[in-house]
Amino acid sequence: MDFVADESLDFRIIRSLRQHGHQVFAIVEESPSIDDASVLEVAVSRKSILITEDKDFGELTFRLKKTHFGILLLKLSGLEITEKIDLVLSVVKNQHQALFNSFAVLDQNRLRIKTGKK
């Protein structure tokens, strides 16, 4: 599965996704400091799911109706990095089809998915 990782994403999560066979285009490596709209454009051009810890992507997709192929917003503050990695890997493995064309929010208690391309 292909992902674009926003600059806000902890690089240890990116590394773990790669170690588990996923292709991850990391904004921090390729285009650091670009704005959120440009990050979303990169994800769309790559037809990839965007993984972020930045809630501003909700505004871009819902209020401004920007196109996307899926966004996974992580709200995992307060958890140890190993717990964050385990949660992300579990969601990617078990919910990968549901993530496409959806806006998903992962917190420590659940995954909420709003389907439909925006």
Side-chain angles (χ1 to χ4, degrees):
M1 183 177 294
D2 288 351
F3 298 99
V4 170
D6 183 36
E7 211 166 358
S8 65
L9 192 65
D10 188 305
F11 200 84
R12 293 170 288 186
I13 295 172
I14 296 168
R15 187 178 313 118
S16 183
L17 285 165
R18 288 175 174 166
Q19 289 170 344
H20 283 84
H22 301 286
Q23 298 296 315
V24 183
F25 181 94
I27 296 296
V28 71
E29 293 175 322
E30 306 294 337
S31 303
S33 301
I34 61 174
D35 62 31
D36 291 345
S38 297
V39 171
L40 195 55
E41 288 174 11
V42 169
V44 168
S45 72
R46 298 178 65 82
K47 297 182 174 131
S48 298
I49 294 170
L50 174 65
I51 303 179
T52 184
E53 294 186 67
D54 183 348
K55 64 183 177 170
D56 291 340
F57 287 97
E59 179 179 351
L60 286 173
T61 59
F62 294 111
R63 190 173 73 76
L64 299 177
K65 306 216 183 292
K66 297 286 187 180
T67 299
H68 63 86
F69 283 91
I71 297 173
L72 176 58
L73 172 63
L74 306 181
K75 296 178 82 175
L76 301 173
S77 62
L79 294 180
E80 296 292 326
I81 188 61
T82 55
E83 293 174 288
K84 290 179 183 183
I85 290 169
D86 288 345
L87 283 170
V88 171
L89 290 175
S90 176
V91 164
V92 167
K93 178 181 178 183
N94 298 313
Q95 300 292 329
H96 62 275
Q97 287 298 96
L99 296 176
F100 285 108
N101 297 324
S102 300
F103 189 96
V105 180
L106 176 63
D107 64 31
Q108 58 191 7
N109 299 311
R110 65 185 172 158
L111 174 68
R112 291 171 286 152
I113 299 174
K114 181 171 175 64
T115 58
K117 201 175 210 177
K118 296 290 174 202

PDB file of all heavy atoms in Angstrom, residues 51-66:
ATOM      1  N   ILE A  51      -1.106  10.199   5.453  1.00  0.00           N
ATOM      2  CA  ILE A  51      -1.094   9.988   6.902  1.00  0.00           C
ATOM      3  C   ILE A  51      -0.542  11.257   7.540  1.00  0.00           C
ATOM      4  O   ILE A  51       0.513  11.749   7.146  1.00  0.00           O
ATOM      5  CB  ILE A  51      -0.238   8.778   7.319  1.00  0.00           C
ATOM      6  CG1 ILE A  51      -0.711   7.503   6.627  1.00  0.00           C
ATOM      7  CG2 ILE A  51      -0.290   8.605   8.838  1.00  0.00           C
ATOM      8  CD1 ILE A  51       0.116   6.276   6.971  1.00  0.00           C
ATOM      9  N   THR A  52      -1.261  11.764   8.532  1.00  0.00           N
ATOM     10  CA  THR A  52      -0.890  13.031   9.145  1.00  0.00           C
ATOM     11  C   THR A  52      -1.277  13.063  10.617  1.00  0.00           C
ATOM     12  O   THR A  52      -2.106  12.267  11.068  1.00  0.00           O
ATOM     13  CB  THR A  52      -1.564  14.208   8.405  1.00  0.00           C
ATOM     14  OG1 THR A  52      -1.104  15.443   8.960  1.00  0.00           O
ATOM     15  CG2 THR A  52      -3.077  14.137   8.487  1.00  0.00           C
ATOM     16  N   GLU A  53      -0.687  13.997  11.332  1.00  0.00           N
ATOM     17  CA  GLU A  53      -1.101  14.306  12.694  1.00  0.00           C
ATOM     18  C   GLU A  53      -1.627  15.743  12.743  1.00  0.00           C
ATOM     19  O   GLU A  53      -1.827  16.290  13.818  1.00  0.00           O
ATOM     20  CB  GLU A  53       0.064  14.116  13.664  1.00  0.00           C
ATOM     21  CG  GLU A  53       0.490  12.655  13.767  1.00  0.00           C
ATOM     22  CD  GLU A  53       1.546  12.393  14.818  1.00  0.00           C
ATOM     23  OE1 GLU A  53       1.232  12.555  16.010  1.00  0.00           O
ATOM     24  OE2 GLU A  53       2.682  12.038  14.447  1.00  0.00           O
ATOM     25  N   ASP A  54      -1.876  16.322  11.583  1.00  0.00           N
ATOM     26  CA  ASP A  54      -2.299  17.711  11.441  1.00  0.00           C
ATOM     27  C   ASP A  54      -3.790  17.768  11.107  1.00  0.00           C
ATOM     28  O   ASP A  54      -4.199  17.400  10.016  1.00  0.00           O
ATOM     29  CB  ASP A  54      -1.471  18.375  10.333  1.00  0.00           C
ATOM     30  CG  ASP A  54      -1.772  19.837  10.130  1.00  0.00           C
ATOM     31  OD1 ASP A  54      -2.779  20.344  10.677  1.00  0.00           O
ATOM     32  OD2 ASP A  54      -1.010  20.487   9.395  1.00  0.00           O
ATOM     33  N   LYS A  55      -4.590  18.266  12.035  1.00  0.00           N
ATOM     34  CA  LYS A  55      -6.045  18.299  11.840  1.00  0.00           C
ATOM     35  C   LYS A  55      -6.493  19.287  10.774  1.00  0.00           C
ATOM     36  O   LYS A  55      -7.645  19.262  10.349  1.00  0.00           O
ATOM     37  CB  LYS A  55      -6.754  18.587  13.165  1.00  0.00           C
ATOM     38  CG  LYS A  55      -6.440  19.941  13.728  1.00  0.00           C
ATOM     39  CD  LYS A  55      -7.102  20.162  15.059  1.00  0.00           C
ATOM     40  CE  LYS A  55      -6.635  21.522  15.520  1.00  0.00           C
ATOM     41  NZ  LYS A  55      -7.214  22.104  16.586  1.00  0.00           N
ATOM     42  N   ASP A  56      -5.601  20.155  10.296  1.00  0.00           N
ATOM     43  CA  ASP A  56      -5.969  21.115   9.255  1.00  0.00           C
ATOM     44  C   ASP A  56      -6.418  20.441   7.954  1.00  0.00           C
ATOM     45  O   ASP A  56      -7.101  21.051   7.141  1.00  0.00           O
ATOM     46  CB  ASP A  56      -4.810  22.070   8.955  1.00  0.00           C
ATOM     47  CG  ASP A  56      -4.535  23.019  10.117  1.00  0.00           C
ATOM     48  OD1 ASP A  56      -5.433  23.199  10.964  1.00  0.00           O
ATOM     49  OD2 ASP A  56      -3.423  23.564  10.175  1.00  0.00           O
ATOM     50  N   PHE A  57      -6.046  19.184   7.757  1.00  0.00           N
ATOM     51  CA  PHE A  57      -6.474  18.486   6.547  1.00  0.00           C
ATOM     52  C   PHE A  57      -7.973  18.229   6.551  1.00  0.00           C
ATOM     53  O   PHE A  57      -8.581  18.062   5.501  1.00  0.00           O
ATOM     54  CB  PHE A  57      -5.675  17.195   6.348  1.00  0.00           C
ATOM     55  CG  PHE A  57      -4.272  17.475   5.912  1.00  0.00           C
ATOM     56  CD1 PHE A  57      -3.241  17.506   6.828  1.00  0.00           C
ATOM     57  CD2 PHE A  57      -3.985  17.759   4.583  1.00  0.00           C
ATOM     58  CE1 PHE A  57      -1.943  17.797   6.435  1.00  0.00           C
ATOM     59  CE2 PHE A  57      -2.697  18.049   4.176  1.00  0.00           C
ATOM     60  CZ  PHE A  57      -1.672  18.069   5.112  1.00  0.00           C
ATOM     61  N   GLY A  58      -8.588  18.227   7.714  1.00  0.00           N
ATOM     62  CA  GLY A  58     -10.042  18.132   7.787  1.00  0.00           C
ATOM     63  C   GLY A  58     -10.705  19.336   7.151  1.00  0.00           C
ATOM     64  O   GLY A  58     -11.672  19.208   6.400  1.00  0.00           O
ATOM     65  N   GLU A  59     -10.162  20.509   7.410  1.00  0.00           N
ATOM     66  CA  GLU A  59     -10.702  21.728   6.804  1.00  0.00           C
ATOM     67  C   GLU A  59     -10.527  21.699   5.287  1.00  0.00           C
ATOM     68  O   GLU A  59     -11.439  22.057   4.537  1.00  0.00           O
ATOM     69  CB  GLU A  59     -10.030  22.974   7.376  1.00  0.00           C
ATOM     70  CG  GLU A  59     -10.545  24.251   6.751  1.00  0.00           C
ATOM     71  CD  GLU A  59      -9.923  25.515   7.307  1.00  0.00           C
ATOM     72  OE1 GLU A  59      -9.196  25.454   8.307  1.00  0.00           O
ATOM     73  OE2 GLU A  59     -10.166  26.571   6.707  1.00  0.00           O
ATOM     74  N   LEU A  60      -9.376  21.265   4.834  1.00  0.00           N
ATOM     75  CA  LEU A  60      -9.128  21.207   3.393  1.00  0.00           C
ATOM     76  C   LEU A  60     -10.106  20.266   2.689  1.00  0.00           C
ATOM     77  O   LEU A  60     -10.572  20.570   1.599  1.00  0.00           O
ATOM     78  CB  LEU A  60      -7.693  20.753   3.106  1.00  0.00           C
ATOM     79  CG  LEU A  60      -6.591  21.758   3.362  1.00  0.00           C
ATOM     80  CD1 LEU A  60      -5.226  21.095   3.196  1.00  0.00           C
ATOM     81  CD2 LEU A  60      -6.713  22.948   2.439  1.00  0.00           C
ATOM     82  N   THR A  61     -10.408  19.162   3.327  1.00  0.00           N
ATOM     83  CA  THR A  61     -11.259  18.177   2.659  1.00  0.00           C
ATOM     84  C   THR A  61     -12.750  18.422   2.861  1.00  0.00           C
ATOM     85  O   THR A  61     -13.540  18.172   1.958  1.00  0.00           O
ATOM     86  CB  THR A  61     -10.908  16.748   3.102  1.00  0.00           C
ATOM     87  OG1 THR A  61     -11.065  16.631   4.504  1.00  0.00           O
ATOM     88  CG2 THR A  61      -9.492  16.396   2.705  1.00  0.00           C
ATOM     89  N   PHE A  62     -13.139  18.909   4.005  1.00  0.00           N
ATOM     90  CA  PHE A  62     -14.566  19.088   4.267  1.00  0.00           C
ATOM     91  C   PHE A  62     -15.062  20.480   3.914  1.00  0.00           C
ATOM     92  O   PHE A  62     -16.049  20.629   3.197  1.00  0.00           O
ATOM     93  CB  PHE A  62     -14.901  18.755   5.724  1.00  0.00           C
ATOM     94  CG  PHE A  62     -14.704  17.301   6.030  1.00  0.00           C
ATOM     95  CD1 PHE A  62     -13.688  16.885   6.862  1.00  0.00           C
ATOM     96  CD2 PHE A  62     -15.518  16.345   5.446  1.00  0.00           C
ATOM     97  CE1 PHE A  62     -13.492  15.541   7.127  1.00  0.00           C
ATOM     98  CE2 PHE A  62     -15.328  14.999   5.700  1.00  0.00           C
ATOM     99  CZ  PHE A  62     -14.312  14.601   6.549  1.00  0.00           C
ATOM    100  N   ARG A  63     -14.385  21.510   4.392  1.00  0.00           N
ATOM    101  CA  ARG A  63     -14.856  22.866   4.113  1.00  0.00           C
ATOM    102  C   ARG A  63     -14.499  23.301   2.700  1.00  0.00           C
ATOM    103  O   ARG A  63     -15.319  23.858   1.979  1.00  0.00           O
ATOM    104  CB  ARG A  63     -14.284  23.863   5.129  1.00  0.00           C
ATOM    105  CG  ARG A  63     -14.933  25.242   5.042  1.00  0.00           C
ATOM    106  CD  ARG A  63     -14.494  26.168   6.142  1.00  0.00           C
ATOM    107  NE  ARG A  63     -13.156  26.669   6.001  1.00  0.00           N
ATOM    108  CZ  ARG A  63     -12.775  27.632   5.158  1.00  0.00           C
ATOM    109  NH1 ARG A  63     -13.649  28.199   4.361  1.00  0.00           N
ATOM    110  NH2 ARG A  63     -11.521  28.037   5.118  1.00  0.00           N
ATOM    111  N   LEU A  64     -13.269  23.035   2.288  1.00  0.00           N
ATOM    112  CA  LEU A  64     -12.804  23.472   0.965  1.00  0.00           C
ATOM    113  C   LEU A  64     -13.016  22.404  -0.112  1.00  0.00           C
ATOM    114  O   LEU A  64     -12.756  22.662  -1.288  1.00  0.00           O
ATOM    115  CB  LEU A  64     -11.333  23.882   1.033  1.00  0.00           C
ATOM    116  CG  LEU A  64     -11.042  25.047   1.983  1.00  0.00           C
ATOM    117  CD1 LEU A  64      -9.548  25.337   2.029  1.00  0.00           C
ATOM    118  CD2 LEU A  64     -11.823  26.291   1.598  1.00  0.00           C
ATOM    119  N   LYS A  65     -13.455  21.226   0.288  1.00  0.00           N
ATOM    120  CA  LYS A  65     -13.805  20.133  -0.632  1.00  0.00           C
ATOM    121  C   LYS A  65     -12.675  19.735  -1.581  1.00  0.00           C
ATOM    122  O   LYS A  65     -12.889  19.453  -2.748  1.00  0.00           O
ATOM    123  CB  LYS A  65     -15.068  20.480  -1.408  1.00  0.00           C
ATOM    124  CG  LYS A  65     -16.220  20.863  -0.498  1.00  0.00           C
ATOM    125  CD  LYS A  65     -17.521  20.378  -1.018  1.00  0.00           C
ATOM    126  CE  LYS A  65     -18.687  20.809  -0.155  1.00  0.00           C
ATOM    127  NZ  LYS A  65     -18.757  20.239   1.136  1.00  0.00           N
ATOM    128  N   LYS A  66     -11.455  19.713  -1.053  1.00  0.00           N
ATOM    129  CA  LYS A  66     -10.296  19.286  -1.845  1.00  0.00           C
ATOM    130  C   LYS A  66     -10.361  17.777  -2.088  1.00  0.00           C
ATOM    131  O   LYS A  66     -10.753  17.004  -1.219  1.00  0.00           O
ATOM    132  CB  LYS A  66      -8.987  19.629  -1.122  1.00  0.00           C
ATOM    133  CG  LYS A  66      -8.759  21.112  -0.926  1.00  0.00           C
ATOM    134  CD  LYS A  66      -8.370  21.763  -2.214  1.00  0.00           C
ATOM    135  CE  LYS A  66      -7.970  23.208  -1.979  1.00  0.00           C
ATOM    136  NZ  LYS A  66      -7.586  23.876  -3.185  1.00  0.00           N
TER     137      LYS A  66
END
